[in-house]
């Protein structure tokens, strides 16, 4: 599935098996977006959280 | 019985764990921790699952969600206590030292002035690490006073509660690699060497390091399982260095272990072994 980047208008490739929480990156601007919902073949995106101080293993 | 894999950012690891649980015929779901609210009214919560595998990328989000789930009576891997210890390098170092597990000599200072006084006593080089954090972020070798002063200045300008506490560790004379041991309970699932990338001192795979299979010797198994038990056990990534003088030393234990790099060389299905451990631990 293709979707327009909400920052730069570039073309985002959303995998068919994408699930909520998955991150997709824009090949044009490098922005990261999190899939916030999927239903009936449509996908909503929101800006992904930036790396937090407590992120990791 | 329903297994819930808790996450806040879906990585290779969570997808692989989910796929393996499904292949085993376990009723499993991925639950985005960011969508959950929990009440102290035990009967006032939505059903989230029967058993939980905590895989949140954010340490504190995962830690306190685990605390809530344990309050509600659910089994969570790893437990709050284990996650709290492993998520804080100071707490881990204290537990390792108390349990007499070989680990780098470590010092703690509680403001910039006492940190400078400590340097006067121990000299250079040493390693400085943040108390909380991962992927080698903020882990620096400090070879002279100029770098030490830069770190102090940076911490004073970016003041956070944790940045006021200095975690200082002796520099270990080691080959350009460490050993990541992935443990489930009383078994090392696999062990891999992690080699530093070019122009990089840290061995983290997230810093471009690469992996190769490491032999699980009796000596390695002894120290790793001892360390794992000391922090409370569970599914852990125990990181070991090969000190040229002392042999193996444990320098870090991860309670939310990543295994993408290890999976590329491991001869065992790591995610499958982790799921087996979660189910087995229910029987105990």
């Amino acid at each position: 599935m293709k979707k327009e980047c909400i920052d730069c208008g570039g073309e985002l490739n959303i995998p068919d098996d994408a699930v909520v929480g998955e991150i997709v990156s824009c090949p044009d601007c490098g922005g990261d977006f999190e899939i916030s919902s999927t239903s009936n073949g449509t996908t909503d995106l929101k800006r992904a959280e930036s790396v937090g101080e407590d992120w990791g293993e | 019985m329903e297994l819930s894999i808790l996450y806040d950012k879906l990585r290779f690891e969570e997808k692989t764990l989910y796929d393996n649980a499904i292949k085993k015929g376990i009723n499993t779901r991925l639950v985005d921790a960011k969508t959950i609210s929990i009440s102290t009214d035990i009967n006032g919560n939505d059903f989230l699952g029967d058993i939980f595998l905590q895989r949140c990328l954010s340490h504190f989000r995962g830690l306190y969600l685990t605390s809530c789930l344990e309050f509600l009576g659910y089994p969570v891997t790893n437990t709050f206590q284990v996650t709290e210890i492993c998520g804080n390098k100071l707490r881990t170092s204290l537990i390792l030292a108390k349990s007499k597990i070989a680990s780098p000599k470590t010092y703690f200072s509680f403001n910039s002035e006492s940190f400078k006084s400590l340097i006067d006593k121990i000299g250079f080089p040493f390693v400085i690490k943040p108390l909380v954090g991962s992927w080698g972020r903020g882990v620096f070798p400090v070879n002279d006073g100029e770098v030490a002063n830069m770190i102090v200045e940076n911490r004073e300008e970016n003041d956070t509660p944790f940045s006021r506490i200095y975690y200082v560790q002796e520099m270990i004379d080691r080959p350009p690699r460490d050993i990541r041991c992935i443990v489930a309970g009383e078994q090392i699932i696999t062990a891999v060497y992690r080699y530093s990338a070019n122009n990089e001192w840290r061995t983290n795979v997230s810093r471009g390091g690469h992996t190769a299979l490491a032999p699980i010797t009796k000596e390695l198994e002894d120290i790793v399982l001892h360390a794992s038990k000391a922090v409370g056990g569970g599914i852990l990534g125990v990181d070991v260095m090969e000190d040229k003088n002392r042999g193996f030393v444990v320098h870090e234990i991860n309670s939310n272990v990543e295994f993408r790099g290890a999976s590329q060389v491991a001869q065992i299905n790591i995610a499958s072994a982790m799921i087996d451990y979660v189910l087995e631990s229910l029987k105990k």
Side-chain angles (χ1 to χ4, degrees):
Chain A
M1 183 195 307
K2 307 285 185 190
K3 202 158 174 79
E4 188 176 296
C5 174
I6 53 179
D7 277 349
C8 75
E11 192 173 77
L12 296 168
N13 287 311
I14 315 286
D16 292 338
D17 61 350
V19 295
V20 173
E22 198 161 343
I23 304 293
V24 291
S25 297
C26 175
D28 290 357
C29 70
D32 288 332
F33 302 93
E34 180 179 331
I35 295 171
S36 56
S37 70
T38 57
S39 64
N40 301 325
T42 63
T43 299
D44 292 322
L45 300 174
K46 63 180 180 183
R47 284 182 187 83
E49 289 183 348
S50 57
V51 174
E53 189 181 342
D54 71 333
W55 278 24
E57 298 186 84
Chain B
M1 183 198 71
E2 186 163 335
L3 166 67
S4 287
I5 299 172
L6 302 164
Y7 71 96
D8 52 6
K9 184 180 175 193
L10 209 60
R11 294 169 286 182
F12 161 85
E13 285 80 2
E14 288 73 47
K15 283 183 172 181
T16 311
L17 286 162
Y18 175 78
D19 289 344
N20 276 274
I22 292 293
K23 277 182 197 159
K24 290 175 190 289
I26 302 163
N27 189 12
T28 308
R29 61 169 150 167
L30 285 162
V31 178
D32 184 348
K34 302 191 296 300
T35 65
I36 297 174
S37 294
I38 288 182
S39 163
T40 52
D41 172 8
I42 289 182
N43 299 316
N45 289 287
D46 295 334
F47 177 76
L48 296 169
D50 299 300
I51 55 172
F52 294 86
L53 180 55
Q54 180 57 263
R55 294 290 314 175
C56 278
L57 188 61
S58 161
H59 167 65
F60 288 110
R61 180 181 283 138
L63 179 70
Y64 292 115
L65 175 55
T66 295
S67 182
C68 291
L69 292 167
E70 288 181 347
F71 158 77
L72 294 173
Y74 293 113
V76 186
T77 304
N78 290 313
T79 65
F80 173 86
Q81 189 177 6
V82 170
T83 309
E84 191 273 330
I85 292 168
C86 297
N88 184 308
K89 292 181 177 64
L90 181 150
R91 294 271 289 132
T92 304
S93 290
L94 295 179
I95 298 268
L96 291 174
K98 196 165 190 177
S99 305
K100 303 194 184 314
I101 294 161
S103 53
K105 197 181 293 179
T106 308
Y107 310 85
F108 316 107
S109 294
F110 297 91
N111 81 352
S112 303
E113 291 309 311
S114 60
F115 171 60
K116 288 174 184 171
S117 300
L118 174 69
I119 296 173
D120 290 339
K121 281 186 198 167
I122 66 172
F124 299 99
F126 59 81
V127 178
I128 191 160
K129 300 181 178 181
L131 253 57
V132 174
S134 203
W135 303 329
R137 280 198 315 268
V139 176
F140 302 122
V142 182
N143 294 307
D144 55 51
E146 199 172 356
V147 175
N149 288 337
M150 283 165 56
I151 288 169
V152 168
E153 190 177 317
N154 182 268
R155 286 202 177 192
E156 287 180 341
E157 283 179 5
N158 299 287
D159 186 43
T160 67
F162 284 125
S163 69
R164 297 167 201 162
I165 302 169
Y166 288 79
Y167 177 103
V168 174
Q169 209 160 53
E170 69 171 313
M171 178 75 79
I172 296 293
D173 187 8
R174 60 161 171 83
R177 67 183 188 190
D178 70 356
I179 306 172
R180 158 64 55 90
C181 298
I182 299 177
V183 178
E186 295 170 6
Q187 182 203 355
I188 299 180
I189 299 173
T190 194
V192 295
Y193 291 119
R194 301 188 305 176
Y195 290 88
S196 309
N198 288 338
N199 301 317
E200 175 58 68
W201 164 80
R202 295 164 288 192
T203 58
N204 305 74
V205 173
S206 56
R207 299 260 163 213
H210 68 276
T211 54
L213 201 61
I216 303 173
T217 62
K218 177 77 170 59
E219 189 190 1
L220 182 66
E221 187 176 60
D222 284 349
I223 190 169
V224 166
L225 295 185
H226 189 187
S228 173
K229 192 174 178 185
V231 297
I235 295 176
L236 301 168
V238 181
D239 294 341
V240 178
M241 289 189 283
E242 301 152 280
D243 186 315
K244 287 180 180 170
N245 300 312
R246 284 181 292 171
F248 293 134
V249 291
V250 175
H251 62 100
E252 198 164 305
I253 304 181
N254 302 280
S255 61
N256 185 20
V257 59
E258 293 177 327
F259 51 88
R260 188 172 195 170
S263 291
Q264 291 162 1
V265 295
Q267 293 172 330
I268 188 169
N269 182 332
I270 297 170
S272 174
M274 288 179 172
I275 297 293
D276 288 344
Y277 169 78
V278 171
L279 299 180
E280 276 298 312
S281 60
L282 281 180
K283 297 174 186 168
K284 293 179 183 170

